Amino acid sequence: MNGRRVLVTGAAGGIGRAIVADLLLRGAAVLATDVDADGCARLRGRFPGEPIHVVPLDLTAPGAPRRLVAEAADRLGGLDGLVNNAGVEHRAPLDEHSTADWARVHDINLTAPFRLARAAAPVLAGQPGAAIVNVCSIAVTGFAGQAAYDASKGGLLSLTRALAVELGPRGVRANAVCPGFIDTPMLDAGGLRELAEKVAARLPLGRCGHPEDVAAAVGWLLRAEAGYITGQALFVDGGMVRA
Ligand SMILES: NC(=O)c1ccc[n+]([C@@H]2O[C@H](COP(=O)([O-])OP(=O)(O)OC[C@H]3O[C@@H](n4cnc5c(N)ncnc54)[C@H](O)[C@@H]3O)[C@@H](O)[C@H]2O)c1
C-alpha cells in the first residue's frame, strides 16, 4: 500500500477506525471522513505524525460526495482507492418501518456510495491498481426486522457489481466486503448485541468478528495482490453464511 491514497468513509466508527489503522500501518495515505465530529477529533489525535487528513462531513448533504472527492484528491495529491464504509442500521418490524426511515437508511447506505463512486471514478481511472471497496453486510441474505437495511445493502452489492463491469475497462476494480456480526458500537445502537452473541456461539468459528477482521479483507482487496479480482463479495462472517 506504500504511497497509495485512499478515501475512507465512516472512519470514526468501529470498523472504519480499524480500516484506517490498517491502511496507515501498510504505508497508505488516508483521507478519513465521518459525520461524528467528536469521533473525527479523536481520530485526528490517534495517529500523530501519520499521513491522515480528517474531514467531518455528513455524506447525505447536498454536494458532499463531490466536495469530499475533490478534497481527497487535493490533499492526498490524487486518489487510488475509495472505501464506502459509512452505514446505519435500522431494526423494526415491517409495519413499523416508516418511509422516512427507509429513505434515511438508503440515503446513507446506498445513495452516498453511489454518489461517491460517481464522483471518484474519473479521479481513480488510470491510476494503477485503482479500487473501490464497498462495505455491505451479511444482511444481503435477508433477515426479519431490517427491511430497509437489508435492501440498502443488497442494493450496494448490486451497485458494486455494476461498478466492476462499467469501470473495469477504465482500470478500476470494485468489490464488496460483507461482514457478519462484528463487535462495534453498531451492535449496541441496533439492539443487536444479545442476538449477535447468541448467534456467534453457534458459528463455525464460534465468535463475533473483530473490526480488524474486516479491515484486513478491505485492505487486501485494495492491494495489488487482488489485482485480478473485481465484482466479488467477500464474506467476513466466521462461516455464518454457510451455517
Ligand atoms: N458491526 C457489524 O456487525 C456490521 C455487520 C455488517 C455490516 N456492517 C457495516 O459496516 C460498516 C461500518 O459499521 P460499524 O460496525 O463500524 O458501525 P459504526 O456505527 O461504529 O460506524 C458507522 C459510521 O458511519 C458513520 N455515519 C453514519 N451516517 C453517516 C453520514 N450521514 N455521513 C457520514 N458518516 C456517517 C457513523 O458516524 C459511524 O462512525 C457499516 O456500513 C455497517 O453497515 C457492520
Side-chain angles (χ1 to χ4, degrees), residues 10 12-16 34-36 57-60 85-88 108-109 135-138 149 153 179-187:
I15 292 173
D34 201 292
V35 71
D36 173 0
L57 187 84
D58 181 347
L59 291 173
T60 65
N85 166 70
V88 286
I108 298 167
N109 292 4
V135 179
C136 292
S137 171
I138 190 155
Y149 182 76
K153 293 296 188 179
F181 285 119
I182 309 298
D183 193 350
T184 74
M186 182 172 274
L187 289 189

Side-chain angles (χ1 to χ4, degrees), residues 25-100:
L25 186 71
R26 292 173 192 281
V30 175
L31 189 128
T33 185
D34 201 292
V35 71
D36 173 0
D38 293 342
C40 281
R42 283 194 294 277
L43 202 57
R44 248 186 225 113
R46 206 171 150 200
F47 302 106
E50 296 283 350
I52 176 169
H53 303 272
V54 182
V55 177
L57 187 84
D58 181 347
L59 291 173
T60 65
R66 218 164 270 286
R67 279 205 312 278
L68 193 58
V69 168
E71 190 158 351
D74 185 40
R75 293 216 202 172
L76 302 175
L79 200 61
D80 307 292
L82 165 65
V83 181
N84 282 309
N85 166 70
V88 286
E89 161 69 287
H90 179 70
R91 280 185 66 76
L94 189 59
D95 57 359
E96 291 171 23
H97 253 69
S98 74
T99 307

Side-chain angles (χ1 to χ4, degrees), residues 23 33 83 94 97 104 106 123 131 198 202-203 229 232:
L23 290 173
T33 185
V83 181
L94 189 59
H97 253 69
R104 182 181 61 88
H106 277 75
V123 185
K198 215 182 277 173
R202 295 199 304 267
L203 290 179
I229 298 174
Q232 297 302 309

